[in-house]
């Protein structure tokens, strides 16, 4: 077991993914409180979110994968899934109506 | 945006650190533009939510309980200097990057694995049966307890994460001191990376 000053996890991630430049500042990863907030506060309200999340996911799956059970259509699963996840997850990050934006995948 | 992060990270990863310092800002320019667009889209929500911050937490019953509001509340209390649209926007994108990117890959693999499973196991029918049985028990409400009971679905998810794990390396660490030696005498030079496979 070594301290952060000897073996540092965030520093390695920053270097590997070049987050210095893609995010603009390393403070977003050396001090990643956005994730801690999620971990700390989200569990308490998780149960209330489930119903909304289910509605949103049903809506996304129906619109993106289609409800036509007679005819076959071709779609890129990963592309579609990205949109579905982005929209579903945004329901509890930014809520309605922002999560329904057609370009909500951009926040991905 | 997550894809863009990965792309920029991949491109810059081709170059040694000294060169990255020069070309970094240039290669990451699309990230800046994208982030700006996202911030613009978030701005109305941001100004609206800032109104709620004027009252103490949990006093206003109308206050939404979502991640964005949690981020704002935390920033207000602990990091007041970051309570601006640029920092909050970037933090939201990063939080989403963690949750979307991995989930989208995993969910795609789950779907493909279900469709790809051998015919004699009848995976789709088994999963559908389990879900409708459990939901009947819980009056059709998806709750934590209901999901915890769906052991076959859980098994599909776990197996997928096991077989189609992404990122073969774990516990990546950067060596921050000169001349680090492990207990069994392995030498790790300064500024190199260590990880387990």
């Amino acid at each position: 077991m070594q301290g952060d000053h000897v073996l540092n996890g965030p520093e390695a991630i920053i270097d590997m993914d070049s987050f210095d430049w893609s995010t603009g500042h390393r403070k977003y990863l050396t001090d990643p409180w956005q994730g801690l907030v999620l971990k700390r506060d989200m569990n308490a309200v998780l149960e209330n979110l489930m119903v909304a999340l289910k509605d949103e996911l049903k809506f996304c799956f129906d619109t993106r994968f289609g409800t036509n059970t007679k005819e076959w259509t071709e779609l890129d699963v990963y592309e579609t899934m990205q949109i579905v996840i982005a929209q579903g997850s945004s329901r509890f990050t930014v809520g309605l109506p922002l999560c329904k934006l057609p370009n909500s995948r951009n926040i991905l | 945006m997550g894809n863009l992060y990965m792309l920029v990270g991949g491109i810059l990863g081709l170059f040694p650190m000294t060169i990255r310092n020069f070309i970094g800002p240039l290669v990451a320019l699309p990230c800046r533009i994208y982030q700006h667009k996202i911030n613009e889209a978030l701005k109305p929500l941001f100004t609206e939510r800032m109104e709620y911050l004027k009252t103490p937490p949990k006093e206003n019953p109308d206050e939404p309980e979502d991640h964005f509001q949690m981020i704002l509340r935390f920033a207000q209390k602990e990091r007041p200097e970051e309570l601006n649209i640029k920092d909050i926007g970037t933090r939201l994108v990063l939080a989403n990057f963690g949750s979307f990117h991995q989930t989208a890959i995993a969910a795609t693999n789950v779907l493909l694995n279900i469709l790809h499973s051998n015919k004699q196991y009848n995976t789709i029918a088994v999963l559908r049966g389990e879900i409708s049985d459990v939901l009947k028990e819980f009056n059709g409400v998806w709750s934590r307890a209901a999901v915890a009971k769906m052991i076959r679905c859980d098994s599909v998810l776990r197996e997928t994460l096991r077989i189609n794990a992404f990122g073969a390396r774990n516990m990546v660490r950067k060596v921050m001191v000169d001349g680090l030696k492990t207990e069994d005498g392995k030498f790790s030079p300064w500024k190199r990376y260590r990880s387990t496979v």
Side-chain angles (χ1 to χ4, degrees):
Chain A
M1 184 67 194
Q2 298 280 6
D4 269 357
H5 60 286
V6 183
L7 284 173
N8 195 310
E11 287 284 340
I13 303 284
I14 292 172
D15 282 0
M16 269 197 332
D17 295 341
S18 300
F19 276 125
D20 272 333
W21 297 282
S22 55
T23 62
H25 202 292
R26 58 171 48 212
K27 71 176 174 190
Y28 302 116
L29 285 119
T30 48
D31 176 25
W33 56 262
Q34 67 274 20
L36 301 179
V37 173
L38 193 67
K39 233 189 269 174
R40 195 188 61 181
D41 299 338
M42 196 50 100
N43 277 332
V45 292
L46 201 59
E47 201 76 53
N48 303 338
L49 293 171
M50 292 276 280
V51 182
L53 185 61
K54 187 208 137 202
D55 285 346
E56 193 63 43
L57 283 177
K58 183 177 181 333
F59 173 80
C60 301
F61 271 99
D62 284 354
T63 47
R64 303 292 173 181
F65 282 84
T67 45
N68 188 340
T69 49
K70 298 260 159 33
E71 281 157 47
W72 292 91
T73 46
E74 197 173 316
L75 59 84
D76 186 320
V77 183
Y78 181 50
E79 284 283 316
T80 318
M81 215 41 131
Q82 283 186 347
I83 303 171
V84 170
I85 300 287
Q87 210 169 324
S89 173
S90 294
R91 177 71 179 249
F92 64 78
T93 30
V94 291
L96 293 165
L98 216 54
C99 68
K100 287 229 182 9
L101 283 183
N103 60 350
S104 64
R105 178 169 157 250
N106 293 353
I107 307 182
L108 193 75
Chain B
M1 186 74 183
N3 293 340
L4 203 61
Y5 276 168
M6 291 324 284
L7 186 67
V8 170
I11 294 172
L12 286 177
L14 297 172
F15 300 97
M17 234 4 155
T18 39
I19 300 179
R20 267 195 245 181
N21 282 324
F22 293 105
I23 61 167
L26 194 71
V27 177
L29 200 61
C31 288
R32 293 279 79 67
I33 298 168
Y34 234 89
Q35 185 67 54
H36 182 72
K37 279 186 188 163
I38 290 170
N39 290 351
E40 286 298 310
L42 276 176
K43 215 170 229 168
L45 186 78
F46 183 75
T47 30
E48 182 199 320
R49 295 296 181 85
M50 286 299 276
E51 289 297 311
Y52 289 110
L53 294 191
K54 286 172 186 161
T55 54
K58 303 212 164 78
E59 236 173 55
N60 188 345
D62 294 334
E63 185 173 335
E65 273 187 325
D66 55 19
H67 189 199
F68 195 64
Q69 198 65 23
M70 288 172 192
I71 287 182
L72 289 179
R73 277 290 182 200
F74 184 90
Q76 182 192 27
K77 211 172 137 212
E78 316 266 347
R79 307 273 190 287
E81 74 280 3
E82 289 195 16
L83 201 57
N84 56 61
I85 183 77
K86 184 175 166 274
D87 282 333
I88 297 289
T90 310
R91 292 215 177 258
L92 185 69
V93 167
L94 268 174
N96 281 347
F97 172 54
S99 57
F100 292 13
H101 207 250
Q102 303 192 3
T103 321
I105 296 173
T108 307
N109 283 327
V110 167
L111 208 62
L112 294 178
N113 281 344
I114 291 174
L115 295 175
H116 189 239
S117 70
N118 288 344
K119 211 176 163 190
Q120 71 261 33
Y121 299 121
N122 234 340
T123 314
I124 299 178
V126 169
L127 293 179
R128 275 188 180 152
E130 184 189 53
I131 293 171
S132 60
D133 284 352
V134 172
L135 281 187
K136 227 177 267 167
E137 210 176 303
F138 285 86
N139 300 322
V141 182
W142 285 84
S143 62
R144 258 172 134 174
V147 174
K149 271 204 148 183
M150 299 176 186
I151 44 173
R152 291 197 174 83
C153 297
D154 186 63
S155 150
V156 170
L157 299 178
R158 273 171 204 266
E159 271 301 278
T160 302
L161 287 176
R162 186 179 70 82
I163 297 168
N164 308 107
F166 46 89
R169 292 197 293 162
N170 277 316
M171 288 180 40
V172 186
R173 298 285 183 272
K174 185 177 181 177
V175 182
M176 307 296 282
V177 290
D178 204 3
L180 175 73
K181 262 194 178 166
T182 57
E183 278 162 17
D184 51 351
K186 293 222 169 55
F187 178 69
S188 293
W190 186 35
K191 284 189 178 173
R192 296 298 158 84
Y193 309 101
R194 287 281 159 267
S195 58
T196 56
V197 180

